[in-house]
Amino acid sequence: MRYHIITYGCQMNEHDSENIAGLLEAMGYEHVDDPYKADVTVINTCSVRDNADKRFFGTLGQFKKVKKNRPDFVLCVCGCMPQQPRVVEEINKRFSWVDIVFGTQNIAEFPELLEKRLKTGLRVRAIIDNNPDISEADMKPVRMHRHKALVNITYGCNNFCTYCIVPYTRGREKSRMMSDVCDEVRRLAADGVVEVMLLGQNVDSYRDAAGHRFADLIKAVNEIDGIERIRFMTSHPKDISEEMIDCFRTCDKLCHNIHLPVQSGSDSILKRMNRHYDRASYLETVDKLRKAAPDITISTDVIVGFPGETDEDFEQTLDIARRVEYDSAFTFIYSPREGTPAAKFTDKVPDDVCHERFDRLVDVMNEISLKKNREYKGKVCEVIAEGVSRNDDTVISGRTDGFKLVNFTSERSPEQLMGRKVMVEITETKTFSLEGREVL
Ligand code: SF4
C-alpha cells in the first residue's frame, strides 16, 4: 500500500506532514512520488496564502477521476482549511469523493480514522477546536532531512492580528512542557540530527505549565550533546524578551539569525493590524539584537496594501526596510481572509496601487539583499551541507549559521558531506544565494 502527502503552507504544516507520514509508515504504507498513483493521498492545506480556497478546491477537483477509476483510493484532507466549518460544508456538498477530513488537532487519531474508512467505506469527519491533550510523545515523524528536524514547542496563537486566520484554524496557544521538548531533541540528536528548528506561531510567548519561558528552553536545548545548531520560528516583536536576546550572547549553538515579521512600517497600520508594537519599539528591538549579535541576519514578512494604507504609510514601510537592512523578506499583497476582522474593512487599496507599491518594495528589498550578500565575497563561511543541486550534481547546497543559502563545489562526494559542517570560500554573490568552493 502506498501513500502520498501534498503539503501547502508553513513549517508547522510541513512538520504535521512528517508526523502523518510517520503514522502511515507505522501502518505499513510506503511513500510514492505520484499522488495519483497512491492508495492513500493526504492533502495538508493552508488557508493563509492568496487564493487559498480557489487553489484548494481546484486540487480536490483533480482527484474526481482517480476516485472514479479506483473506488478503493482514499483521499484525505487536513490542515487549516477544514478548521473552518464553511469549508467542511462545501467539501460535503460538492466533493463527495473526499473520504476523510480531519483537523490540525486530530492528527494522532488519523490511523483510527483511516481504519474506520477502510472497514466501513463511510466518509469520516473529525475536527476539534481546542484539544487539551496534544502530545507528540507517540509520533515518529518521517523527516525530510536526516540531519535537521522541526520541533513544535507551541501550538495555536492568541494574538488575533486582524488579517490572520491562524487563531481560528489552529486554536488558542498551548506550550509543550520543556522536559518533553528536550526529550524529543535528545532522541533526535541520538538519531544523528545536528540542527533543530523550534517551531511556534509565536515562540516568544512560550510558557510551559512549570513556568519556563522561551529563553529557558533555548538554554536547555543548548546543553544537549550532539546538537550543533538551534533555530526558531516565528518571533513576535511585541513579545521578544531581554532574556531571549541575551541568549544570542550566551548560547553558543543558537544561530545568529532571526525572522522578525514587521508587516508594516506605519504605526497607524500596525495598530489596525492589531500588532501591539510600533516602529520605534521594533527598531529598538533590532538595535538590541545587533548589540547582542553584531553578525545577526534578519528576515521579515511585509504586507502591502492593507486596508487604509496611504502613500505615506507605505513610505514608512520602505523607510523601515532601509533602516533595518533585512537580509531577506517575504512580501505579500494583502488579500482578505473570510472570517477575519480585516475582511470587513471597507477602505480597500486599489489593485493597481497595491501592485505598484509591491514592485517598489520588492526592488528595495532585493537591492538590500544583494548589498548584504556582497559583504560575504572572499569570506570563508561555515556551512552545513543539505543537498545536491537539481541541475548539477557536482554542486552541493547548504546553509550558513545566518541561514544564507550557499551553493558550492567540493572535491569530496555529496555522501561524505551531507549533514556535516564544511568551510566554504565565497566566490560569487547573488540576491538570493552565495556561491563558493570548499576549502580544506
Ligand atoms: S501572531 Fe498574528 S500573524 Fe502570527 S499566527 Fe498569530 S495572529 Fe497570525
Side-chain angles (χ1 to χ4, degrees):
M1 299 290 274
R2 296 159 307 168
Y3 77 92
H4 184 93
I5 304 176
I6 300 171
T7 308
Y8 296 107
C10 65
Q11 279 155 320
M12 307 287 282
N13 265 19
E14 278 176 22
H15 189 47
D16 286 347
S17 289
E18 291 182 339
N19 281 334
I20 295 165
L23 293 168
L24 282 162
E25 295 201 1
M27 293 174 81
Y29 284 83
E30 282 176 18
H31 176 262
V32 62
D33 286 335
D34 186 341
Y36 302 104
K37 295 206 170 124
D39 299 289
V40 174
T41 290
V42 181
I43 308 176
N44 190 357
T45 61
C46 168
S47 38
V48 170
R49 296 283 167 90
D50 271 2
N51 290 323
D53 283 31
K54 216 165 131 196
R55 287 194 323 148
F56 166 60
F57 290 124
T59 308
L60 286 188
Q62 290 163 20
F63 284 91
K64 185 176 183 183
K65 223 175 173 179
V66 184
K67 190 75 183 176
K68 201 171 164 210
N69 295 337
R70 288 195 291 128
D72 289 342
F73 169 71
V74 180
L75 182 61
C76 315
V77 170
C78 64
C80 289
M81 278 290 188
Q83 294 294 139
Q84 302 166 76
R86 66 171 181 87
V87 172
V88 181
E89 269 170 39
E90 181 118 8
I91 294 174
N92 291 342
K93 225 189 283 166
R94 291 178 45 212
F95 302 91
S96 57
W97 53 94
V98 176
D99 298 284
I100 303 175
V101 179
F102 61 106
T104 50
Q105 300 180 43
N106 299 79
I107 290 172
E109 280 171 62
F110 178 56
E112 290 158 39
L113 304 177
L114 181 54
E115 291 284 354
K116 191 170 165 191
R117 165 66 186 81
L118 294 173
K119 274 190 193 140
T120 65
L122 296 172
R123 292 193 297 182
V124 180
R125 308 291 185 249
I127 297 118
I128 53 171
D129 268 344
N130 265 314
N131 182 354
D133 298 321
I134 296 181
S135 161
E136 300 224 359
D138 299 328
M139 294 291 181
K140 293 191 175 54
V142 176
R143 294 196 309 272
M144 282 182 293
H145 295 275
R146 209 176 43 184
H147 77 282
K148 66 177 185 176
L150 305 167
V151 178
N152 279 332
I153 65 164
T154 65
Y155 306 96
C157 181
N158 291 345
N159 287 308
F160 294 94
C161 302
T162 52
Y163 52 83
C164 182
I165 193 81
V166 167
Y168 310 94
T169 60
R170 294 234 167 216
R172 297 296 85 77
E173 184 179 280
K174 288 180 273 295
S175 297
R176 290 176 74 193
M177 291 302 290
M178 186 168 96
S179 52
D180 289 348
V181 174
C182 289
D183 284 348
E184 182 177 340
V185 175
R186 266 183 223 103
R187 285 197 301 273
L188 290 166
D191 195 33
V193 167
V194 294
E195 180 175 319
V196 286
M197 166 78 87
L198 307 176
L199 286 180
Q201 305 293 348
N202 176 5
V203 289
D204 296 300
S205 57
Y206 174 89
R207 182 195 285 271
D208 76 1
H212 296 114
R213 305 305 313 261
F214 186 46
D216 301 317
L217 179 63
I218 290 180
K219 287 177 200 159
V221 175
N222 197 61
E223 294 303 311
I224 296 176
D225 289 340
I227 296 300
E228 296 175 20
R229 282 182 175 178
I230 304 168
R231 301 188 188 279
F232 57 85
M233 173 90 87
T234 296
S235 282
H236 197 306
K238 80 177 166 64
D239 288 320
I240 190 163
S241 68
E242 301 283 339
E243 291 75 19
M244 194 278 123
I245 293 175
D246 204 44
C247 287
F248 284 109
R249 290 193 184 89
T250 57
C251 296
D252 59 329
K253 298 173 184 174
L254 183 61
C255 290
H256 286 191
N257 167 240
I258 190 165
H259 185 68
L260 196 64
V262 65
Q263 307 299 8
S264 170
S266 152
D267 285 346
S268 64
I269 295 296
L270 288 171
K271 202 161 185 195
R272 283 196 106 194
M273 290 176 165
N274 197 32
R275 293 288 289 173
H276 292 280
Y277 54 85
D278 57 18
R279 55 185 282 120
S281 62
Y282 183 94
L283 287 168
E284 202 180 310
T285 300
V286 169
D287 273 354
K288 285 180 190 166
L289 286 162
R290 291 219 159 107
K291 275 199 186 99
D295 61 344
I296 197 165
T297 54
I298 305 178
S299 57
T300 198
D301 297 329
V302 184
I303 296 173
V304 175
F306 190 74
E309 185 188 71
T310 62
D311 284 342
E312 203 177 308
D313 292 322
F314 178 66
E315 289 300 329
Q316 295 277 296
T317 297
L318 292 179
D319 179 71
I320 208 163
R322 291 191 181 105
R323 280 176 193 237
V324 176
E325 296 204 310
Y326 293 105
D327 291 84
S328 62
F330 297 92
T331 45
F332 307 89
I333 292 178
Y334 172 76
S335 66
R337 295 290 168 271
E338 203 176 314
T340 60
K344 296 199 185 87
F345 294 171
T346 51
D347 44 357
K348 306 220 175 332
V349 179
D351 282 356
D352 56 335
V353 176
C354 287
H355 284 101
E356 189 265 333
R357 286 181 190 164
F358 179 81
D359 291 347
R360 280 177 67 200
L361 179 65
V362 169
D363 285 348
V364 168
M365 290 295 192
N366 286 351
E367 194 185 304
I368 298 168
S369 297
L370 183 60
K371 177 180 161 226
K372 303 281 284 186
N373 280 353
R374 280 189 179 136
E375 291 166 13
Y376 288 80
K377 186 147 185 181
K379 288 190 178 160
V380 173
C381 297
E382 190 180 79
V383 171
I384 292 188
E386 295 192 344
V388 178
S389 159
R390 273 195 209 144
N391 309 325
D392 181 350
D393 61 10
T394 63
V395 176
I396 294 155
S397 59
R399 296 270 175 186
T400 65
D401 176 285
F403 207 61
K404 297 276 179 189
L405 175 65
V406 183
N407 296 313
F408 63 96
T409 54
S410 166
E411 284 170 15
R412 296 194 278 171
S413 71
E415 294 72 38
Q416 285 176 298
L417 297 175
M418 283 312 121
R420 292 179 194 278
K421 283 185 174 167
V422 182
M423 300 312 289
V424 176
E425 183 187 352
I426 305 301
T427 52
E428 288 298 332
T429 57
K430 298 180 171 176
T431 307
F432 304 113
S433 63
L434 308 173
E435 289 179 6
R437 59 174 167 257
E438 185 187 10
V439 286
L440 294 168

